[in-house]
Amino acid sequence: MKVVGPLIVVVLLAALAWCCTEYLHWYALFGIVIPYVAVVLLIVGLVVRIVRWARSAVPFRIPTTCGQQKSLPWIKQAKLDNPSSKAGVFGRMVLEVLTFRSLFRNNKVEKRDSKLGYTSAKWLFLGALLFHWSMLIIVIRHLRLALEPVPDFLVVLEQADGFLQVGLPLLYISDVLIVVGLVFLLARRLTIKKVRYISLSVDFFPLFLLLGIAISGIVMRYAFRVDIAGVKEVVLGLLTFHPVSPDQLSTILFVHLFLVCVLMVYFPWSKLMHAPGIFMSPTRNLANNSREVRHVNPWNYPVKVHTYAEYQEEYGEKMKSVGLPLDPEVVSTNG
Amino acid sequence: MTKKWTIGIFIVIVIGIFAVPFLVNAGQPERDPEVSYDTPQINAMEVKQCIEPTEYMKESHMVLLDEWRNSVVRDGNYEYRSQSGQIYEMSLDETCLGCHSNQADFCDKCHEYSSVELYCWQCHGNVDTENPEATIITDDDVLFTEKA
Ligand code: HEM
């Protein structure tokens, strides 16, 4: 159920958009109102979640460290894996975000004969890299629908992505790779028993939703064509707040767009928030300089204390008179 | 607690990413590709009609061209029967660009708008406006001979 449920939800959402535009002709709702609402909800949701995170307590340095800490000058520090400076943190963050170094370290436990052993498991890293980079390239390429005149770098990106020159319209490599990546990530959750056991429906839903978006987009490009110039007019209308009627566009576009809107609304309240979240993780964005700098808990309450020295000062005479041992240091400081 | 200004900058960046497409387009008038049909052949037509219905041409002209190309280059078949029963010669240069001879104001205009860079023009199309025949691929230029 945790697998089939999310799949059914995504299929129903796609069917909803299809029926409402193909048969009920609610073009303005699906082409103008819902996209605006989705963008607003996305931005509000992002800000709410970020502010909420920002208010949570990070009193101390808790970076995850994966190498030698900064120490004596003759001990080589792992500057990226155990950064002690802002520059080190920046470098580590950039590499983490662009290349997923922490996934590169993914391990799996294996029983070899009677011994337990750890081996590296790179497939998650490769699948994640494949999906995220394809998605980034696709989203950037989509800007051609939103920018007029189209900047040159987009044309270059399109040419590079389509350089295989297969068929017309040209086959984009990123379209193949995003599906390969997503199918792999899905297969991983389904086939590895331990991963399947810990996967919930909220792990499957984003995968199905993204697959739905990618497949509807791919179908739109290579099978049921849409009038791209017409789509661009509608998108530019939305962006300039002078909406153009989307009535003449094909149904498949509304399915694609509606699934994207669902993603936008869902995004801030889901695990997909790991995208902005990575920048806010104290295990990643702090320098490990606990030995150089004293980090005092900023909201330490000024507790009124009565030290032993003060105690002895107050009762010293009485203690002495009944023969209780006195702390010599305190006595000496007392003179 | 993270410093307030760092979070402020972060939120501004996050919102900024979504604001860019709106800001870039702010205040711009409505823009469409503004293609021109002002060519001698189209002006001479009584019913202004493309090979297939306009809706299909807008969406799928590249699919049609792909079919034509394969049909000509692989099967040596130059005849295309449209839905309306009209026979056309399958030729990008002579048929499409025969009617749409204003390539720059028609194909290129819309492709620029839609960010499509055609590699076809390396060989096809009237690149040389002075001497069009030199660059148009005609039947005389056939590079591939049909199997007997
Ligand atoms: C999360 C965001 C989105 C993703 C992942 C996505 C994904 C895709 C994919 C994989 C394709 C296949 C063709 C290609 O790669 O260019 C595609 C095509 C398309 N998408 Fe999206 N899409 C997204 C958002 C949007 C939005 C907001 C629109 C706005 C209307 C849109 C409109 C289109 C159109 C018109 C095509 C057809 C392009 C063509 O035929 O060349 N997409 N999309």
Side-chain angles (χ1 to χ4, degrees):
Chain A
M1 198 55 213
K2 68 182 188 181
V3 183
V4 181
L7 177 61
I8 293 176
V9 172
V10 173
V11 171
L12 285 181
L13 287 170
L16 178 76
W18 182 282
C19 295
C20 289
T21 46
E22 178 77 27
Y23 303 114
L24 299 178
H25 307 297
W26 292 351
Y27 297 114
L29 179 66
F30 280 82
I32 298 170
V33 179
I34 292 180
Y36 273 139
V37 171
V39 170
V40 170
L41 286 181
L42 172 67
I43 293 177
V44 171
L46 284 174
V47 172
V48 169
R49 293 286 316 253
I50 290 173
V51 169
R52 238 191 242 172
W53 271 334
R55 294 159 78 110
S56 56
V58 187
F60 299 119
R61 299 273 147 157
I62 53 166
T64 42
T65 59
C66 318
Q68 174 59 50
Q69 181 179 13
K70 186 172 183 199
S71 179
L72 297 168
W74 45 270
I75 297 177
K76 193 159 177 264
Q77 180 200 359
K79 288 214 166 81
L80 277 177
D81 286 319
N82 199 333
S84 59
S85 63
K86 283 219 168 85
V89 169
F90 183 78
R92 183 192 202 196
M93 185 66 92
V94 167
L95 285 176
E96 175 67 32
V97 168
L98 296 181
T99 66
F100 304 167
R101 289 174 84 237
S102 58
L103 290 186
F104 192 72
R105 294 205 178 84
N106 189 29
N107 280 332
K108 70 166 185 269
V109 188
E110 247 176 20
K111 210 174 154 196
R112 286 187 217 129
D113 302 328
S114 59
K115 282 184 188 153
L116 211 55
Y118 290 90
T119 51
S120 93
K122 298 272 182 281
W123 288 106
L124 174 63
F125 163 76
L126 287 173
L129 216 54
L130 215 53
F131 159 67
H132 283 88
W133 273 99
S134 313
M135 167 128 171
L136 177 68
I137 291 172
I138 289 170
V139 170
I140 293 178
R141 273 203 286 94
H142 272 64
L143 286 177
R144 73 169 169 153
L145 300 172
L147 302 177
E148 175 60 28
V150 180
D152 289 344
F153 81 91
L154 277 186
V155 181
V156 173
L157 184 66
E158 270 160 28
Q159 277 176 330
D161 204 349
F163 93 107
L164 294 180
Q165 297 190 341
V166 177
L168 285 181
L170 295 182
L171 176 75
Y172 284 137
I173 301 167
S174 55
D175 286 2
V176 178
L177 294 187
I178 194 171
V179 174
V180 170
L182 281 169
V183 168
F184 169 78
L185 293 174
L186 187 63
R188 190 186 84 95
R189 283 197 186 273
L190 290 175
T191 54
I192 303 179
K193 280 200 194 119
K194 282 169 271 181
V195 181
R196 181 164 184 166
Y197 181 71
I198 58 166
S199 297
L200 305 172
S201 43
V202 289
D203 293 312
F204 289 108
F205 180 69
L207 283 172
F208 286 127
L209 185 59
L210 284 163
L211 261 178
I213 293 173
I215 291 172
S216 59
I218 287 170
V219 165
M220 175 159 48
R221 180 173 172 84
Y222 306 103
F224 315 142
R225 303 265 335 146
V226 290
D227 170 14
I228 305 292
V231 174
K232 183 162 183 174
E233 282 174 48
V234 171
V235 172
L236 288 180
L238 289 175
L239 290 173
T240 48
F241 300 104
H242 291 288
V244 179
S245 156
D247 295 9
Q248 79 293 354
L249 299 178
S250 323
T251 308
I252 181 77
L253 178 85
F254 294 97
V255 173
H256 186 64
L257 187 58
F258 182 63
L259 291 180
V260 174
C261 292
V262 171
L263 179 73
M264 289 200 273
V265 175
Y266 177 70
F267 192 94
W269 313 105
S270 70
K271 69 174 205 168
L272 300 175
M273 274 302 276
H274 67 270
I278 182 87
F279 297 101
M280 301 186 71
S281 329
T283 54
R284 301 262 145 216
N285 67 10
L286 292 173
N288 180 23
N289 57 1
S290 303
R291 288 188 168 179
E292 287 169 64
V293 184
R294 180 158 181 241
H295 298 284
V296 180
N297 187 345
W299 68 88
N300 267 355
Y301 183 76
V303 181
K304 193 165 184 308
V305 288
H306 194 51
T307 63
Y308 188 70
E310 286 161 357
Y311 177 88
Q312 191 170 294
E313 196 173 330
E314 196 174 337
Y315 300 109
E317 289 305 319
K318 288 179 182 141
M319 289 163 80
K320 208 179 194 173
S321 63
V322 295
L324 281 175
L326 288 183
D327 197 326
E329 261 179 49
V330 178
V331 173
S332 71
T333 52
N334 273 354
Chain B
M1 205 159 15
T2 325
K3 285 197 198 83
K4 285 225 170 66
W5 63 268
T6 353
I7 291 301
I9 293 177
F10 188 53
I11 291 178
V12 168
I13 292 175
V14 170
I15 296 181
I17 290 173
F18 295 100
V20 164
F22 288 94
L23 293 178
V24 170
N25 285 299
Q28 304 248 31
E30 225 172 87
R31 286 150 296 166
D32 51 38
E34 295 164 358
V35 293
S36 152
Y37 294 110
D38 183 21
T39 67
Q41 276 205 39
I42 293 181
N43 287 338
M45 289 168 81
E46 269 177 33
V47 187
K48 307 238 180 297
Q49 175 61 52
C50 197
I51 296 180
E52 296 288 357
T54 314
E55 199 53 33
Y56 174 82
M57 293 311 289
K58 279 187 179 181
E59 295 175 359
S60 304
H61 58 275
M62 70 296 290
V63 177
L64 184 71
L65 281 169
D66 201 29
E67 279 164 18
W68 283 20
R69 180 172 61 173
N70 290 343
S71 166
V72 167
V73 176
R74 294 186 188 159
D75 307 332
N77 169 24
Y78 283 85
E79 270 186 16
Y80 178 75
R81 178 184 287 273
S82 74
Q83 279 174 27
S84 57
Q86 186 105 9
I87 304 278
Y88 292 95
E89 187 198 344
M90 293 195 197
S91 169
L92 172 55
D93 302 87
E94 281 159 51
T95 312
C96 304
L97 296 181
C99 280
H100 301 291
S101 49
N102 55 345
Q103 184 199 313
D105 284 328
F106 185 75
C107 314
D108 296 352
K109 196 92 172 255
C110 186
H111 289 158
E112 229 166 81
Y113 180 77
S114 319
S115 175
V116 183
E117 183 83 23
L118 286 197
Y119 68 88
C120 321
W121 301 148
Q122 290 166 13
C123 305
H124 297 274
N126 32 9
V127 185
D128 186 351
T129 40
E130 303 277 290
N131 182 14
E133 284 299 317
T135 42
I136 290 183
I137 299 182
T138 64
D139 292 353
D140 309 334
D141 302 326
V142 174
L143 301 180
F144 314 96
T145 45
E146 286 173 57
K147 277 191 217 133

